């Protein structure tokens, strides 16, 4: 799916929960995975490793590398991901998105705003299957129009 960054603002996994302040390195490593074309499988691998209860320690550092390998990163791609992660290439970016999301009033995740209109995610999930209607989401993001029944009210 292709979207325009000017049209859609994604609150990602941080938003007003202020989670990124404590876990910016983890989130930045996901952006590094995206650079290598592996954001979704990396995200899924990390999610599978998520502890039942959040702790102050968060994920152990070796979980990042395990998830990267599970996501299919190897060779030069794994080396590039590791360098990006070790250098903290996207930590400042993650923190800036966290701050902007907080200031914009995002209260949780996932959060998506299309041309300034917040989208209510629940209306895109098929209750029978629990799956997102990605075709409808793509239509919304491409058109820049959120149907009134999917607008989130403050």
């Amino acid at each position: 799916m292709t979207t325009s960054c000017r049209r859609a603002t994604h609150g990602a996994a941080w938003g007003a929960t202020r989670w990124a302040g404590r876990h910016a390195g983890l989130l930045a490593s996901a952006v590094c995975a995206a650079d290598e074309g592996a954001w979704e499988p990396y995200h899924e691998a990390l999610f599978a490793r998520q502890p039942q209860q959040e702790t102050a320690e968060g994920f152990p550092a070796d979980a990042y590398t395990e998830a990267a390998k599970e996501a299919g990163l190897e060779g030069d791609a794994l080396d590039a991901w590791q360098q990006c992660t070790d250098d903290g290439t996207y930590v400042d970016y993650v923190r800036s998105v966290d701050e902007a999301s907080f200031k914009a009033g995002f209260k949780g995740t996932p959060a998506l705003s299309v041309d300034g209109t917040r989208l209510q995610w629940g209306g895109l999930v098929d209750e029978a299957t629990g799956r997102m209607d990605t075709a409808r989401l793509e239509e919304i993001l491409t058109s820049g129009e959120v149907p009134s029944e999917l607008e989130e009210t403050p």
Side-chain angles (χ1 to χ4, degrees):
M1 173 184 346
T2 304
T3 62
S4 167
C5 291
R6 290 178 302 176
R7 294 173 91 170
T9 304
H10 184 53
W14 34 93
T17 61
R18 306 310 300 210
W19 199 79
R22 296 186 314 262
H23 304 289
L26 174 66
L27 297 170
S29 74
V31 182
C32 293
D35 280 353
E36 300 307 316
W39 185 89
E40 188 170 348
Y42 183 71
H43 176 267
E44 289 174 3
L46 282 176
F47 192 78
R49 287 171 171 71
Q50 182 175 340
Q52 291 292 333
Q53 287 287 325
E54 183 178 349
T55 65
E57 295 81 34
F59 285 85
D62 61 345
Y64 296 20
T65 303
E66 290 170 11
K69 289 177 181 176
E70 185 177 319
L73 294 176
E74 56 186 15
D76 291 343
L78 180 61
D79 292 343
W81 170 85
Q82 190 69 61
Q83 189 68 49
C84 179
T85 298
D86 290 347
D87 290 348
T89 301
Y90 292 109
V91 169
D92 288 341
Y93 166 73
V94 165
R95 287 186 176 137
S96 73
V97 170
D98 177 50
E99 189 61 32
S101 297
F102 182 75
K103 286 180 180 177
F106 286 101
K107 298 175 181 72
T109 61
L112 185 71
S113 177
V114 181
D115 281 345
T117 302
R118 292 196 186 155
L119 175 69
Q120 185 179 49
W121 283 94
L124 292 172
V125 177
D126 181 316
E127 291 182 25
T129 65
R131 295 199 171 267
M132 169 85 52
D133 183 347
T134 56
R136 188 158 188 217
L137 177 60
E138 183 173 8
E139 179 183 312
I140 291 167
L141 294 175
T142 302
S143 72
E145 302 277 332
V146 176
S148 60
E149 73 274 9
L150 295 177
E151 287 183 19
E152 183 179 291
T153 55

